[in-house]
Amino acid sequence: MDKLIIEGGEPLKGEITISGSKNAALPILTACLLATGPVRLTNVPRLRDINTTLKLLNILGCETAFENGVVNAHVRALKHEAPYDLVKTMRASVLCLGPLLGLLGEAKVALPGGCAIGARPVDMHLRALERMGARFILDSGYIHGICGGLIGARIMFDFPTVGGTENLLMAASVAKGCTILENCAREPEVVDLANFLNAMGARIRGAGTSVIEVEGVRSLSGCEYSVMPDRIEAGTYLVAGAITDGELILRGCPTVDLDALITKLREMGVLVESLPDGGVLVRRDGPLTGVDVTTQPHPGFPTDMQAQIMALMCVAHGSGTIQEKIFENRFMHVPELCRMGARISLKDRTAMVRGVDHLVGAPVMASDLRASASLVLAGLVAQGTTEIQRIYHLDRGYERMEEKLSAVGAHIRREHEQG
Ligand code: EPZ
């Protein structure tokens, strides 16, 4: 398994270009199952999760080709079963339920199972699809869904689930009649999926708000579409510029989708400024101070930036708290940060972070995608050497991170390890 070696203490200076969004590309790729003609997607990031999704599409009967950030996909003969050995590596595979039920009237998808950050059930997906006429049985670790064609319905989510909203957008797009989805997730990635489906001929209105209306259509055509930039990757590099006391300019940074994060960074004493040429400048604007953060559904503070801002708070003056309200176990980075000298205490789903004068490099272990990013950020500012193991977690969601960071002055390299 690969590891990253970082010599900390170097302020980052220069420009970083933001890649396409993992969390938009994954549902959009799954939605390709609905297209009756060829689809061409551009600005697709080169990530492990993208490769996993392409494998899944191939198994489900959709031919795909991926090079230089461009995916060409074409459904040949749809199959209805998503195998466990693929689904277990990526929860987002459950997003194929909606398209398969919508088109074939049957879907067999391995239960995604939990992951490092929590149980992550799919009960809201299933209950909503049942409202549209699907029936499910759980059979030896698989969710087996059957329906005689999905019928439009009025559906209220108990919680604004991102995946649940996305699954139902795809299902409702090819259902018979109109579907009203209420208490929907408002994440920008949901909007990107809706825009893609509409480009294929779907009739979706209200994406980005809590109420979305979908008028089912008989079929969806192929199309060309460019995936939105990755706001979480961008947020991670905003923190990188601040934590190293450097000065970065990000290209393709979707500031409009990062309002809650940027507000908190400014509260901490970070300058984030949109430049006339479209770039976004980030640097410290005086000493860093601790803040209080609570993760919320969009447009609140994104849970996917919780670990990263925690790393920044570790080297701020004073203390701050982080309440994780979305996932029940998303503090796996805390013990690893403490190994680097951070002072963090946990009580239930709240972390109390007391800033320290400096962190010290150490061997640490990545546990999930955003925890890995947090450890990289801490390593960039720590005194000495940080070695991060199991960085396959990082490769799921960050395109060429060590290359992008090295290009702006970081002393970071990847070591390949046997086994
Ligand atoms: C998406 O996950 C993202 N993944 C996650 O990003 C992100 O953290 C999350 O949304 C919240 O913003 C992708 O888009 C591929 P949810 P998803 O359904 O769809 C519970 C990353 O780091 N829940 O909004 O799984 C669930 O357990 C990843 O890029 C149910 O209880 O998120 C969780 O506690 C991590 N029942 C909460 O709701 C359900 O049926 C939010 O889940 C569905 C969800």
Side-chain angles (χ1 to χ4, degrees):
M1 287 188 265
D2 291 1
K3 58 185 178 183
L4 284 180
I5 317 289
I6 304 172
E7 301 299 332
E10 192 68 43
L12 302 186
K13 293 195 189 308
E15 293 200 4
I16 293 181
T17 299
I18 301 306
S19 300
S21 164
K22 166 179 87 80
N23 289 351
L26 296 182
I28 285 171
L29 282 169
T30 314
C32 291
L33 294 169
L34 294 165
T36 53
V39 174
R40 184 172 187 274
L41 296 176
T42 57
N43 200 35
V44 179
R46 298 166 188 76
L47 302 169
R48 280 167 60 101
D49 278 6
I50 297 294
N51 295 337
T52 304
T53 303
L54 292 172
K55 272 191 216 134
L56 177 63
L57 293 183
N58 293 338
I59 289 171
L60 294 173
C62 176
E63 261 176 31
T64 62
F66 181 30
E67 58 179 317
N68 302 326
V70 177
V71 167
N72 286 292
H74 199 165
V75 175
R76 298 300 177 192
L78 267 191
K79 301 184 183 74
H80 74 274
E81 185 163 341
Y84 174 65
D85 60 353
L86 255 184
V87 174
K88 73 183 176 197
T89 65
M90 187 187 65
R91 168 187 167 75
S93 312
V94 76
L95 292 175
C96 64
L97 266 179
L100 295 178
L101 284 171
L103 289 185
L104 300 180
E106 183 174 13
K108 198 171 175 189
V109 180
L111 259 174
C115 67
I117 59 178
R120 303 185 75 186
V122 289
D123 53 313
M124 288 190 276
H125 299 233
L126 303 184
R127 275 206 307 275
L129 289 165
E130 284 170 347
R131 296 270 301 129
M132 298 183 75
R135 288 291 167 266
F136 294 98
I137 53 164
L138 297 192
D139 166 21
S140 47
Y142 277 77
I143 306 165
H144 192 177
I146 303 267
C147 69
L150 293 176
I151 310 290
R154 190 178 193 90
I155 294 162
M156 164 78 77
F157 289 112
D158 291 347
F159 177 86
T161 156
V162 172
T165 304
E166 292 168 342
N167 231 336
L168 272 291
L169 277 181
M170 292 186 274
S173 292
V174 291
K176 194 172 173 51
C178 183
T179 297
I180 310 276
L181 301 173
E182 296 180 283
N183 196 23
C184 295
R186 298 167 54 191
E187 272 69 4
E189 294 77 20
V190 171
V191 177
D192 214 30
L193 172 65
N195 292 340
F196 173 68
L197 288 165
N198 283 342
M200 293 204 287
R203 294 198 195 124
I204 299 170
R205 288 184 306 140
T209 73
S210 299
V211 180
I212 303 177
E213 276 185 43
V214 187
E215 182 63 43
V217 294
R218 288 180 58 78
S219 69
L220 295 173
S221 64
C223 71
E224 291 218 2
Y225 192 79
S226 181
V227 173
M228 65 177 274
D230 192 315
R231 64 190 171 105
I232 304 301
E233 184 199 26
T236 305
Y237 289 125
L238 287 176
V239 174
I243 202 169
T244 60
D245 197 7
E247 183 166 300
L248 288 178
I249 292 176
L250 303 189
R251 297 286 170 204
C253 174
T255 47
V256 69
D257 297 331
L258 285 169
D259 227 14
L261 169 71
I262 291 171
T263 300
K264 284 296 171 186
L265 290 176
R266 286 174 174 156
E267 264 183 56
M268 292 187 72
V270 178
L271 177 139
V272 180
E273 189 182 323
S274 295
L275 301 175
D277 69 356
V280 176
L281 170 71
V282 61
R283 59 174 167 77
R284 286 189 195 185
D285 191 18
L288 291 176
T289 57
V291 287
D292 295 330
V293 169
T294 301
T295 64
Q296 301 278 4
H298 192 78
F301 189 94
T303 174
D304 291 351
M305 280 302 305
Q306 179 256 104
Q308 295 94 310
I309 202 164
M310 183 185 284
L312 187 61
M313 288 164 67
C314 288
V315 294
H317 294 277
S319 60
T321 59
I322 295 181
Q323 271 194 293
E324 173 53 63
K325 293 257 187 160
I326 307 294
F327 290 106
E328 71 264 27
N329 182 29
R330 203 170 195 176
F331 285 133
M332 311 276 276
H333 42 288
V334 168
E336 301 304 306
L337 290 170
C338 290
R339 288 174 47 75
M340 300 175 72
R343 289 181 60 201
I344 309 167
S345 56
L346 291 179
K347 185 167 177 6
D348 302 329
R349 290 166 69 164
T350 300
M352 162 69 83
V353 183
R354 290 177 182 75
V356 293
D357 180 46
H358 63 271
L359 296 175
V360 181
V364 290
M365 184 87 72
S367 53
D368 58 86
L369 169 55
R370 306 304 172 181
S372 322
S374 166
L375 298 177
V376 172
L377 293 167
L380 290 171
V381 71
Q383 292 175 358
T385 306
T386 299
E387 180 182 292
I388 306 173
Q389 293 162 19
R390 299 190 182 174
I391 56 157
Y392 58 86
H393 291 291
L394 194 73
D395 295 335
R396 294 189 54 173
Y398 289 92
E399 186 177 47
R400 300 177 295 111
M401 182 180 245
E402 69 269 23
E403 286 173 39
K404 292 190 178 186
L405 288 172
S406 302
V408 289
H411 300 301
I412 180 171
R413 71 182 193 284
R414 178 182 291 252
E415 263 185 22
H416 300 286
E417 269 196 336
Q418 295 311 321

